[in-house]
């Protein structure tokens, strides 16, 4: 079902409501189909039971107001900091604490083992820290030399 | 008598076994003609002994070992010749309407001839019934030509089996290593360069000892005798020493680099080629091999060969060169002294020979045990859930400890031989040195040689014996590499039992008409499918029904050509599938297996496995059709979630839906669903079924399901029992005739609870899936 058949609104509780011709879905949630490889392509609106209500091929084809609404909603639910720089690692043997700069600020993560670094594509890495938080390195090649050298010891 | 022979030539076909010719001729009466025969190889007590069953135009004749005379039965209407096999033994029974007349036995190797015999027999009896004339000659010819082909098949198989046996029973010879030349050939010029560098560096390394000779005789000894030191001469000799050392260093570096580079490439080629070959082998090969063993071969053993090529072989070649050059130099300086110096050489050669055989057998054993260790790991780790579920950790640890213990023991045995060997060589060389000292001092005292010559000799043989010592070490490395090479070539020499056609026929597009003609199949000696005849129209949906083990999955293995039929043929659009290029043919088939397997990677990659360039849209469409879309969206990273080993754990039903999506994405003409929905609940199944119904239209579909309600939509149902078709028809027809299907269906609908509970064992199929 295309999104054009619905009207999206935020209700008084801050939930997104999808209003169709003959049905109203309270609190729909936008979900990205490819959050890592193609974040803007394919977003589904699912209801509280996980059933798909509407499908958006690409966020850019939406009207301004609806897109902001969905993006706000996505932003409030997504937490996958992107690593911009690795400042320091406590040791090259795991477990190891990394001091890092992310797009959400400076923090540290504890890497339990090398296997928690997963290669999603040639240059994209996903790092799971000891608390299960995922950190993304979207493109290894554009990291600075220092970070890359540290990272390389774990790959 | 003589006038008769021309007649007889007519009566007995030319290729009739000559050993039996003399015996059969007198038995034939009144222009009776031989039509077909079967040489049996077992007697009534199942001992090996030759016998013959002959079908003539009038009678069936048999003479089994121990029989004095031919036994004969005249044809009668309703006579039957029946064939059965069990555990590798065929029995052939002749009976009439009232009793069994005779029974004969033969081994499975005669099975095709036996089938032919029965076909001819049936024709003859039928002809008898209809009183039709016999086109005997034509038939006889056909029979013999059939027998010919059967015979050829047999011999090639036998030859193959023989080859296998041979390979396992002899220890690998060092000559196997020369087979590696196939991989070295592309690098032959680089190898030549490396060899020249080696020659240069070795020669340069031999210069310094040579210079000790004049240094001693022209500088030091004259000084002792009161002459002043000639500084120019000293500088000349010493710079010679330095220069030689530097040249040797540069050349040695270049040599090692060049040769190590080549050997690395040879190793990589070897590994890739082996893997490539392995993946092209048939399912049957993988059925008979254990994963751990194959992994060990491709991983550890290619590495060992690589190491051998890059280090040991290089050292060895240098050693040999060094020894040869040293011998030349020594002989040119003083032949007698050289002779004494070389005394230990033959003894060492003999020792090497003695030890080598033992080491070779020993090392092959260690390799096998190592593979065994790997096997235990490859067995246990994927099945870890079963191990834990049944609390068998201790047992598995015990099993591992046991093979590891064997590993230690076998290595101990090898090491015992080995440990003695090296010190013995060292001792011999020390003795050699002693002899040289004694002989040298005596020669100097006799003024036969100068002190300088003796010093040079001692300097040379120091190196020389060192080389011998290291050369003896290579014996073990060589034997290890030879053993590894043999095991690699075991794989490379294996011919796929599902061969690529010699003259492939290309089918640009297929319609999806499948025909099975007289198909028979056995796993080893066990007959699983027999006498299958049916045709599937393009676009038809066929349901395969039957109890567990009735051969449904096997039939699908045959249609996908994972195995080749043992009898008959499978035709697609009228063309034998054996004449199509395998990969081309399989591209047309979308297969969902009973045990879904996911590779390590994202869900999107797994769905797009059969079509790596699929767009995201296509992936989503396929996932939607398989009702996987929504559960995928529920995963934290949607289609980018990692699954497979170490990945996100999915339930059995979820995995099945992903593998359905995988099959749908390639948009196949033929869709095969082997229990594709067995692990999902009934409601989801119905939803998938609904989606499939759309997709199924226009495709030839073969579906297997234990839950019969799933198959009600099928155009036709084929009911199997013990590898035979017992009923065909659609649901309504089969229900109406109250046969096999009716009973199956009744028993299911009577106990719907049982049905529902079959949803639960998703876990079971999980484990199975892991183990594929
Ligand atoms: N690789 C094999 N080697 C030897 N025998 C085999 C092999 N695979 C299957 N069999 C045997 O062949 C027979 C038919 O097996 P098949 O897998 O075709 O049964 P099925 O009808 O698919 O059963 P199910 O409904 O349980 O899946 C079984 O008796 C089985 O033991
Ligand atoms: Mg099966």
């Amino acid at each position: 079902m295309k999104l054009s058949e619905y009207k999206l609104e935020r209700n008084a509780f801050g939930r997104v409501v999808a209003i169709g011709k003959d049905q109203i879905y309270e609190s729909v949630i936008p979900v990205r189909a490819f959050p890592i490889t193609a974040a803007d392509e394919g977003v589904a609106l699912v209801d509280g039971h996980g059933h798909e209500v509407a499908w958006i091929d690409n966020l850019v084809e939406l009207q301004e107001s609806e897109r902001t609404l969905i993006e706000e909603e996505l932003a409030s639910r997504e937490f996958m900091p992107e690593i911009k720089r690795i400042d320091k690692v406590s040791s090259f043997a795991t477990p190891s604490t990394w001091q890092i700069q992310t797009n959400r600020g400076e923090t540290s993560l504890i890497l339990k083992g090398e296997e928690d670094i997963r290669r999603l594509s040639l240059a994209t890495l996903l790092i799971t820290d000891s608390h299960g938080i995922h950190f993304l390195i979207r493109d290894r090649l554009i990291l600075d030399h220092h970070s890359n050298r540290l990272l390389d010891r774990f790959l | 008598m003589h006038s008769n022979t021309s007649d007889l030539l007519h009566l007995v076909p030319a290729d009739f076994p000559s050993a039996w010719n003399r015996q059969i001729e007198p038995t034939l009466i009144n222009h009776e003609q031989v039509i077909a025969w079967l040489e049996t190889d077992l007697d009534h007590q199942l001992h090996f002994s030759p016998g013959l069953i002959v079908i003539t135009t009038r009678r069936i004749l048999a003479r089994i070992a121990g029989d004095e005379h031919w036994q004969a039965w005249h044809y009668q209407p309703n006579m039957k010749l029946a064939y059965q096999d069990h555990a590798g033994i065929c029995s052939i029974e002749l009976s009439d309407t009232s009793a069994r007349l005779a029974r004969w036995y033969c081994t499975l190797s005669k099975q095709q001839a036996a089938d032919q015999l029965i076909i001819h027999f049936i024709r003859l009896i039928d002809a008898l019934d209809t009183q039709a004339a016999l086109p005997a000659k034509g038939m006889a010819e056909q029979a013999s030509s059939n027998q010919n082909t059967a015979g050829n098949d047999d011999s090639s198989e036998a030859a193959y089996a023989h080859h296998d046996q041979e390979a396992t029973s002899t220890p690998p010879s060092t000559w196997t290593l020369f087979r590696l030349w196939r991989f070295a050939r592309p690098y032959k010029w680089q190898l030549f360069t490396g060899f020249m560098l080696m020659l240069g560096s070795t020669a340069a390394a031999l210069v310094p000892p040579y210079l000790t000779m004049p240094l001693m005789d022209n500088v030091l000894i004259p000084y002792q005798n009161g002459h002043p030191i000639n500084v120019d001469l000293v500088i000349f000799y010493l710079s010679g020493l330095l220069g030689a050392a530097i040249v040797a260093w540069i050349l040695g570096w270049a040599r090692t680099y060049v040769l190590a580079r080549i050997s690395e490439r040879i190793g990589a080629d070897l590994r890739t080629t082996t893997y490539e070959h392995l993946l092209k082998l048939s399912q049957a090969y993988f059925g008979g091999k254990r994963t751990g063993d194959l992994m060990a071969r491709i991983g550890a053993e290619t590495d060992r060969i690589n190491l051998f090529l890059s280090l040991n072989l290089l050292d060895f070649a240098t050693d040999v060169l060094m020894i040869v050059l040293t011998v030349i130099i020594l002989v040119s300086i003083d032949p007698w002294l050289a002779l004494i110096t070389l005394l230990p050489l033959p003894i060492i050669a003999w020792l090497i020979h003695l030890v080598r055989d033992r080491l070779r057998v020993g090392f092959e054993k260690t390799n096998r045990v190592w593979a065994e260790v790997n096997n235990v790991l490859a067995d246990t780790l994927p099945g870890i859930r079963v191990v834990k579920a049944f609390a068998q950790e201790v047992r598995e640890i015990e099993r591992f400890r046991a093979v590891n213990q064997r590993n230690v023991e076998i290595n101990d045995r090898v090491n015992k031989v080995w440990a003695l060997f090296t010190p013995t060589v060292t001792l011999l060389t020390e003795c050699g040195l002693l002899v040289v000292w004694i002989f040298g001092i005596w020669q100097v005292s006799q003024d036969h040689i100068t002190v300088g010559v003796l010093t040079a000799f001692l300097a040379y043989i120091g190196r020389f014996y060192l080389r011998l010592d290291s050369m003896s070490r290579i014996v073990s490395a060589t034997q290890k590499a030879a053993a590894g090479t043999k095991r690699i070539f075991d794989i490379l020499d294996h011919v796929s039992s599902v061969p690529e056609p010699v003259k492939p026929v290309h089918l640009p597009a297929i319609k999806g008409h499948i025909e099975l003609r007289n198909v028979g199949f056995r796993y080893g000696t066990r007959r699983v499918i027999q006498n299958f005849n049916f045709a599937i129209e393009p676009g038809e949906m066929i349901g395969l029904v039957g109890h567990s083990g009735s051969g449904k999955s096997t039939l699908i293995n045959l249609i996908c050509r994972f195995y080749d039929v043992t009898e008959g043929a499978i035709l697609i659009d009228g063309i034998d599938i054996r004449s199509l290029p395998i990969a081309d043919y399989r591209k047309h088939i979308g297969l969902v297996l009973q045990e879904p397997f996911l590779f390590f990677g994202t869900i999107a990659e797994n769905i797009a496995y059969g079509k790596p360039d699929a767009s995201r849209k296509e992936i989503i469409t396929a996932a939607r059709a398989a009702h996987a879309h929504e559960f995928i969206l529920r995963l934290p990273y949607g289609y980018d979630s990692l699954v497979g080993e170490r990945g996100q754990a999915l339930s059995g039903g979820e995995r099945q839906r992903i593998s359905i999506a995988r099959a749908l994405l390639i948009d196949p003409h033929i869709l095969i669903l082997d229990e594709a929905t067995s692990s999902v609940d009934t409601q989801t199944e119905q939803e998938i079924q609904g989606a499939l119904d759309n997709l199924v239209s226009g495709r030839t579909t073969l579906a297997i399901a234990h839950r019969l309600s799933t198959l009600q939509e099928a155009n036709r149902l084929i009911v199997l029992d013990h590898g035979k078709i017992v009923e065909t028809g659609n649901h309504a027809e089969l229900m109406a005739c109250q046969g096999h299907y009716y009973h199956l269906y009744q028993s299911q609908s009577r106990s719907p609870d049982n049905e529902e509970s079959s949803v639960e064992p998703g876990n079971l199929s999980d484990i199975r899936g892991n183990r594929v």
Side-chain angles (χ1 to χ4, degrees), chain B residues 523 526 528 547-554 563 594 675 706:
Chain B
Y523 287 114
R526 208 166 128 212
V528 179
H547 63 77
S548 184
S550 56
K552 304 180 296 289
S553 300
T554 306
Y563 294 86
Q594 205 165 3
E675 298 276 353
H706 275 296

Side-chain angles (χ1 to χ4, degrees), chain B residues 212-223:
Chain B
T212 55
M213 205 161 48
L215 209 57
M216 198 60 85
D217 288 343
N218 302 344
V219 180
L220 292 178
I221 306 266
Y223 173 72

